[in-house]
C-alpha cells in the first residue's frame, strides 16, 4: 500500500480481507494467509463471482471456517453459515435449514496437508439431494455459490458494504438497489459497482463529505504517502496500526474489523495523535543541538514523550524523512488555506489555522479531529 | 438520560425484586465502585480452588495436582492453592466469595473469541460489538461529574467498556496525564463520525482534569507490575470525582507447560495485590463501597497434559471480595465425573449470573436489559 502505483487495487484487497476474513490466530500458517492475500489482490477489481468461487476453495479459508474437516454425516456448518451471513446474503435472509443443507454441499472440500493446496475428498462428500433457498438438487459447493450469486440480495449486500467503505456510514437503500442491480446485470464486475458508486450524487453530496473515519491503515499509509515520507522499513508502521486496532491478517473475528466509530476510543485516539505528533517532530528531534542531546537516547525518548520499551520504535521512526519545505512549496507555497484544503476533508473541528505556517501549520492541521475523517 | 431519570430507573429496578428472598438492595448506584481483575490467558480453576477430597482430581492430575496436605482448606471438599494464603484473612473475615464452575454453554476454546464473549456478555455464537459495562452505562449514565465510567489500568483493550462507555486506558495515571495534553476540548461535530471523535476527545480531557496520581497511601503495594496496577487502581479510587469501574489485568495464565511454578507465582502476585488493595481501600474508607471480581476467558482442561501443564478448557472458579461481600463458597464442586467429550468441565454458574450480581445486586441497575436476558444474581451482596 505504501509503494503501489495502483492504490485502489490495494485498498480493495484490504476491503476483501475484511469481507472474506481469515486470521492467522486460527489458521496459524503465514504461507496460507499470504496465498490468500495474493488471491484477493488478483481478484480485487475483477469479478465478485469469480472471487467468491476462489475464496470458497482457498486453503486458509477452508481452515479458518473449519470446512477442511467437514465430511458427510458430520457436516461442519461454520463456513456455510458465514457464507450466507457475511459473504453473500446478509443476516435474516435465509433459514437455519438453508445453512444445514449448504454445509452438506461443501463436505469434502478440504486441504492437502502436504502441499497446502485445495483438495476434494470424494469419500467425504455428501452427494445427496439438498434444498437451498427453495431449490432442490444434488448440489455441490459450486452449485450453492451460483444459487447465492443469483439472489439479488447478494448484490445488494455487497454494494451496501462498498457504500459504507466509500460513501457514508448509512447506505441509501434506493441507490443501493439501483447500483446492485447494475452490478448483478454485469455478472458481478466489481469495477461496475465501484464506478457507479464513485460517480453517484451521494458520493459528492456535501453531507457525505468527511462522513467516514479513517481506518488505522488509511491514517498511517495515507499520511506517509500524502507527505512523501521516505521510510527505512515498515516496522514502526505495523506496530502503529496494530496499536491503533488493525492488526493485518488477524481481524478480531469472522465479521472483521467493525470499523467506523469503533476505530476511535480514548486509547486509540491518543495513539493516533501521538503517532502524528512523532511523525512531524522527527525532523526536530534529529536537529536537536548537541547540548540538548546530552541525554542521548534517553533524552530523545523524553523529548518524544515515549515510555521505556519504545526505544526500538523511536529508532525506526528516526529513519523517517520528510522534506517539509519542498512539500509546502508544492501546496501553493504553503499558504494556510491551501494546505488545509489538501489535508482536511472538511473544515477544522478546532481553531482555524490562519496565520500559521510551515511545520506549525502541518502539525496543527494533522492534530485536528477532522484529519481523522475521510 | 438525566440524572434524576437515572435515579428513578435504578429505584424501580431495585424495587423490582432483583434480589432473592425479597431483599431490597440499598440504593447506592455508582457511589459503589467495581474493580475487575482479568486473569489473562485462562487461569486453571481446578488448581486454584482444589477439590482435594475428590479422587478423580488426583487421577486426572498425577503430576500437577495440589496435594491434600498443602491446600488451604475452605471446607471439607474445597481448598485454595497455597500461594493464595494472603487471601485467607479475607476468607476468615467472611469477605471472600469463591464461585465454582463459572462458564457458559457451548464454550469456545479460543482465547480471542472467548474473552470477546465474556466482554460482550454474548451467547457463544452471537457477535456483539458493545461491552456489557458499556451497555449498562449507556442505559444508566454515571453522573456527569465523574472523571470517567471506567478506567482500564494496563493494556489498551477497552474490553467490557468497548462501544460507548466513557472509558480511559492508562498504563499509569502520570503517563496518561502527560499524553492527554495532546487532546483539546473540541466544539460540537457536524456529522456522527466527528461527533463521536469529539466526544472521545472530551472524555479524555475530562478524565485528565479529574484524575490524580497523588494520594499518599500508608499501604505498601507489591513491587510487581500487578502491584503497580493495583496501586494505580487505588489512586483512581482515591480521586474525588468518581469512577464507576476500574479494570486491572494479570497476564500469563496460559500455562500449557510447567504450570506449577508459573501458576504459584501468578496466584501469589494476585493474592498479595488483592490484599494490598483491601488495605489501601480500608485506609480511605472505601472498602465497604468496593466490589472486586476476577474473571478470565476460560478455565483449563481437567486432565493435565504431557508437558506438566494444562490446555484450554471451560468452566473455572472466580473470586468476589469486598467489605459488603457475603463470604463463602458458591456453585457446586467441579463435576469431574461428568466431563464432556473433550474432557472439559460442565459449567454450573453462567458468567452472566456474576454480571447480573454486579449490575443488579451491586449497582441496582436493570441487569436483564444490559445482558439481553434474565440471569440469576448470586445472593452474595450484603445490604
Amino acid at each position: 500500500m505504501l509503494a503501489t502505483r495502483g492504490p485502489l487495487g490495494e485498498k480493495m484487497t484490504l476491503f476483501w480481507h475484511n469481507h472474506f476474513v481469515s486470521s492467522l490466530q486460527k489458521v496459524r500458517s503465514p504461507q496460507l494467509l499470504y496465498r490468500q492475500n495474493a488471491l484477493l489482490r488478483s481478484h480485487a477489481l475483477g469479478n465478485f463471482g469469480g472471487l467468491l468461487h476462489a475464496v470458497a476453495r482457498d486453503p486458509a479459508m477452508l481452515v479458518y471456517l473449519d470446512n477442511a474437516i467437514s465430511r458427510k454425516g458430520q457436516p461442519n456448518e461454520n463456513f456455510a453459515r458465514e457464507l450466507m451471513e457475511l459473504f453473500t446474503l446478509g443476516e435474516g435472509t435465509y433459514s437455519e435449514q438453508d445453512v444445514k443443507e449448504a454445509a452438506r454441499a461443501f463436505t469434502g472440500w478440504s486441504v492437502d496437508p502436504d502441499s497446502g493446496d485445495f483438495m476434494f475428498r470424494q469419500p467425504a462428500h455428501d452427494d445427496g439431494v439438498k434444498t437451498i433457498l427453495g431449490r432442490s438438487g444434488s448440489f455441490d459447493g459450486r452449485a450453492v455459490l451460483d444459487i447465492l450469486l443469483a439472489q439479488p440480495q447478494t448484490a445488494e449486500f455487497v454494494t451496501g458494504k462498498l457504500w459504507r467503505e466509500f460513501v457514508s456510514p448509512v447506505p441509501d437503500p434506493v441507490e443501493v438497489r439501483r447500483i446492485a442491480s447494475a452490478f448483478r446485470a454485469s455478472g458481478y464486475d466489481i469495477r461496475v459497482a465501484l464506478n457507479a458508486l464513485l460517480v453517484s450524487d451521494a458520493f459528492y453530496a456535501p453531507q457525505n463529505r468527511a462522513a467516514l473515519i479513517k481506518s488505522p491503515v488509511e491514517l498511517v499509509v495515507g499520511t506517509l504517502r500524502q507527505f512523501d515520507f521516505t521510510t527505512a522499513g515498515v516496522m514502526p508502521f505495523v506496530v502503529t496500526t496494530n496499536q491503533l486496532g488493525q492488526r493485518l491478517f488477524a481481524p478480531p473475528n469472522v465479521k472483521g474489523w467493525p470499523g467506523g466509530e469503533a476505530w476511535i476510543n480514548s486509547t486509540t485516539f491518543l495513539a493516533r495523535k501521538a503517532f502524528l505528533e512523532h511523525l512531524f517532530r522527527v525532523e526536530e528531534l534529529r536537529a536537536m543541538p548537541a547540548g540538548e542531546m546530552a541525554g542521548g537516547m534517553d533524552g530523545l525518548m523524553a523529548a518524544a514523550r515515549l515510555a521505556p520499551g519504545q526505544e526500538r520504535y523511536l529508532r525506526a521512526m528516526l529513519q523517517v524523512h520528510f522534506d517539509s519545505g519542498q512539500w509546502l512549496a508544492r501546496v501553493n507555497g504553503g499558504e494556510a488555506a491551501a494546505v488545509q484544503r489538501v489535508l482536511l476533508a472538511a473544515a477544522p473541528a478546532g481553531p482555524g489555522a490562519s496565520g500559521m505556517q510551515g511545520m506549525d501549520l502541518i502539525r496543527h492541521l494533522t492534530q485536528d479531529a477532522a484529519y481523522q475523517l475521510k | 438520560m438525566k440524572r434524576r431519570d437515572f435515579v428513578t430507573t435504578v429505584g424501580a429496578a431495585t424495587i423490582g425484586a432483583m434480589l432473592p428472598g425479597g431483599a431490597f438492595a440499598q440504593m447506592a448506584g455508582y457511589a459503589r465502585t467495581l474493580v475487575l481483575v482479568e486473569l489473562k490467558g485462562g487461569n486453571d480453576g481446578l488448581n486454584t480452588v482444589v477439590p482435594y477430597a475428590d479422587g478423580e482430581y488426583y487421577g486426572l492430575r498425577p503430576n500437577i495436582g495440589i496435594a491434600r496436605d498443602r491446600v488451604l482448606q475452605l471446607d471439607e471438599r474445597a481448598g485454595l492453592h497455597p500461594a493464595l494464603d494472603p487471601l485467607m484473612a479475607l476468607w476468615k473475615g467472611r469477605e471472600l466469595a469463591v464461585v465454582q464452575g463459572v462458564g457458559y454453554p457451548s464454550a469456545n476454546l479460543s482465547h480471542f473469541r472467548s474473552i470477546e464473549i465474556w466482554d460482550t456478555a454474548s451467547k457463544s455464537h452471537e457477535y456483539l460489538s458493545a461491552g456489557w459495562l458499556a451497555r449498562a452505562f449507556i442505559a444508566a449514565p454515571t453522573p456527569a461529574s465523574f472523571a470517567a465510567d471506567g478506567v482500564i489500568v494496563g493494556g489498551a483493550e477497552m474490553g467490557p467498556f468497548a462501544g460507548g462507555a466513557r472509558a480511559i486506558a492508562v498504563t499509569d495515571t502520570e503517563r496518561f496525564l502527560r499524553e492527554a495534553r495532546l487532546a483539546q476540548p473540541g466544539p460540537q461535530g457536524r456529522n456522527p463520525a466527528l461527533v463521536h471523535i469529539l466526544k472521545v476527545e472530551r472524555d479524555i480531557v475530562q478524565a485528565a482534569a479529574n484524575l490524580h496520581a497523588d494520594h499518599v497511601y500508608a499501604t505498601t503495594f507489591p513491587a510487581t507490575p500487578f502491584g503497580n496496577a493495583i496501586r494505580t487502581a487505588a489512586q483512581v479510587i482515591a480521586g474525588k470525582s468518581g469512577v464507576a469501574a476500574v479494570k486491572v489485568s494479570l497476564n500469563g495464565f496460559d500455562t500449557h507447560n510447567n504450570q506449577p511454578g508459573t501458576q504459584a507465582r501468578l496466584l501469589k502476585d494476585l493474592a498479595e495485590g488483592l490484599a494490598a488493595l483491601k488495605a489501601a481501600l480500608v485506609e480511605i474508607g472505601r472498602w465497604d463501597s468496593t466490589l472486586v471480581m476476577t474473571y478470565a476467558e476460560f478455565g483449563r482442561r481437567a486432565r493435565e497434559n504431557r508437558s506438566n501443564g494444562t490446555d484450554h478448557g471451560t468452566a473455572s472458579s472466580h473470586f468476589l471480595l469486598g467489605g459488603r461481600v457475603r463470604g463463602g463458597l458458591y456453585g457446586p464442586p467441579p463435576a469431574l465425573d461428568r466431563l464432556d467429550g473433550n474432557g472439559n468441565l460442565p459449567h454450573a454458574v453462567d458468567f452472566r449470573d456474576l454480571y447480573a450480581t454486579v449490575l443488579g445486586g451491586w449497582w441496582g441497575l436493570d441487569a436483564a436489559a444490559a445482558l439481553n436476558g434474565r440471569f440469576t444474581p448470586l445472593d452474595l451482596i450484603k445490604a
Side-chain angles (χ1 to χ4, degrees), chain B residues 6 71 86 92 116 136 155 160 225 279 366 370:
Chain B
F6 163 61
V71 303
K92 286 170 187 147
E116 186 175 70
D366 181 354

Side-chain angles (χ1 to χ4, degrees), chain A residues 214-230:
Chain A
K214 290 174 184 170
S215 71
V217 168
E218 282 168 334
L219 180 79
V220 171
V221 174
T223 302
L224 294 172
R225 286 190 69 123
Q226 180 156 32
F227 289 96
D228 282 332
F229 274 91
T230 54

Side-chain angles (χ1 to χ4, degrees), chain A residues 25 82 85 169 207 209-213 243 250-255 258 260-270 273-274 277 305-308 310 346-350 367-370 372-373, chain B residues 110-113 116 125 127-129 152 155-158 162-163 167-170 175-176 178-198 200-204:
Chain A
Q25 303 250 3
E82 306 309 356
E85 180 180 333
Q207 71 269 21
R209 297 271 305 160
L212 296 166
I213 295 176
Q243 280 171 348
N253 60 50
V254 65
K255 283 181 85 169
E261 293 178 13
W263 286 130
I264 304 269
N265 60 43
S266 69
T267 308
T268 58
F269 183 67
L270 282 180
K273 290 204 142 203
E277 169 87 354
R305 295 195 187 131
L306 287 170
Q310 292 184 282
Q367 286 292 321
D368 190 279
Q372 306 297 331
L373 303 175
Chain B
S110 144
H111 291 290
F112 210 71
R113 175 61 191 143
E116 186 175 70
H125 298 291
Y127 293 91
L128 300 178
S129 54
I152 298 144
E157 301 292 328
M158 289 287 126
I168 303 296
V170 304
R175 181 172 165 194
F176 169 73
R178 196 168 65 231
E179 290 178 343
R181 287 184 205 136
L182 286 171
Q184 302 288 334
Q188 292 305 310
R190 294 174 296 265
N191 63 38
L194 193 55
V195 166
H196 172 73
I197 293 174
L198 294 175
V200 169
E201 195 157 16
R202 278 196 304 277
D203 291 350
I204 293 167

Side-chain angles (χ1 to χ4, degrees), chain A residues 84-344:
Chain A
M84 293 186 185
E85 180 180 333
L86 300 173
F87 300 166
T88 58
L89 299 173
E91 211 169 348
T93 54
Y94 54 88
S95 70
E96 239 351 78
Q97 193 58 29
D98 290 327
V99 171
K100 285 187 192 313
E101 297 281 286
R104 291 174 52 214
F106 287 101
T107 49
W109 286 32
S110 190
V111 179
D112 181 335
D114 298 324
S115 65
D117 292 334
F118 172 80
M119 183 169 110
F120 179 62
R121 297 179 197 273
Q122 178 67 55
H125 180 65
D126 178 345
D127 54 10
V129 173
K130 299 110 187 164
T131 301
I132 294 161
L133 297 170
R135 293 184 50 191
S136 297
S138 317
F139 301 131
D140 63 4
R142 286 164 181 276
V144 171
L145 297 174
D146 287 333
I147 290 171
L148 295 174
L149 286 167
Q151 303 288 318
Q153 180 56 34
T154 294
E156 287 175 24
F157 181 71
V158 176
T159 303
K161 201 159 177 179
L162 286 166
W163 183 292
R164 290 196 300 277
E165 178 68 32
F166 287 95
V167 183
S168 77
V170 184
D172 173 342
V174 177
E175 275 291 273
V176 166
R177 259 197 299 281
R178 177 181 70 80
I179 295 169
S181 130
F183 183 30
R184 195 162 67 96
S186 74
Y188 283 103
D189 183 343
I190 294 165
R191 285 173 189 272
V192 167
L194 279 180
N195 191 61
L197 275 172
L198 298 182
V199 300
S200 69
D201 290 342
F203 183 76
Y204 294 96
Q207 71 269 21
N208 290 338
R209 297 271 305 160
L212 296 166
I213 295 176
K214 290 174 184 170
S215 71
V217 168
E218 282 168 334
L219 180 79
V220 171
V221 174
T223 302
L224 294 172
R225 286 190 69 123
Q226 180 156 32
F227 289 96
D228 282 332
F229 274 91
T230 54
T231 61
V234 296
M235 190 282 279
F237 313 114
V238 174
V239 170
T240 301
T241 52
N242 289 352
Q243 280 171 348
L244 298 182
Q246 192 172 24
R247 188 179 290 273
L248 294 176
F249 302 105
N253 60 50
V254 65
K255 283 181 85 169
W257 295 285
E261 293 178 13
W263 286 130
I264 304 269
N265 60 43
S266 69
T267 308
T268 58
F269 183 67
L270 282 180
R272 281 174 179 235
K273 290 204 142 203
F275 169 71
L276 294 165
E277 169 87 354
H278 294 149
L279 216 45
F280 294 109
R281 278 168 60 91
V282 165
E283 266 184 316
E284 216 170 275
L285 288 174
R286 214 183 279 117
M288 273 186 154
E292 290 177 38
M293 296 280 282
M297 201 63 188
D298 289 345
L300 276 184
M301 292 290 292
R305 295 195 187 131
L306 287 170
Q310 292 184 282
E311 287 86 355
R312 205 169 143 238
Y313 167 80
L314 178 62
R315 268 200 199 92
M317 285 291 274
L318 286 170
Q319 304 297 311
V320 170
H321 290 267
F322 161 54
D323 187 335
S324 60
Q326 202 177 51
W327 188 85
L328 284 160
R330 287 210 312 266
V331 186
N332 200 21
E335 189 248 327
V339 176
Q340 180 177 312
R341 268 197 308 279
V342 166
L343 292 185
L344 302 186

Side-chain angles (χ1 to χ4, degrees), chain B residues 214-240:
Chain B
D214 52 5
H215 185 84
V216 181
Y217 278 107
T219 300
T220 311
F221 297 91
T224 61
F226 184 67
N228 284 331
I230 290 288
R231 178 210 309 275
T232 299
Q235 284 291 352
V236 169
I237 295 169
K240 295 281 175 288

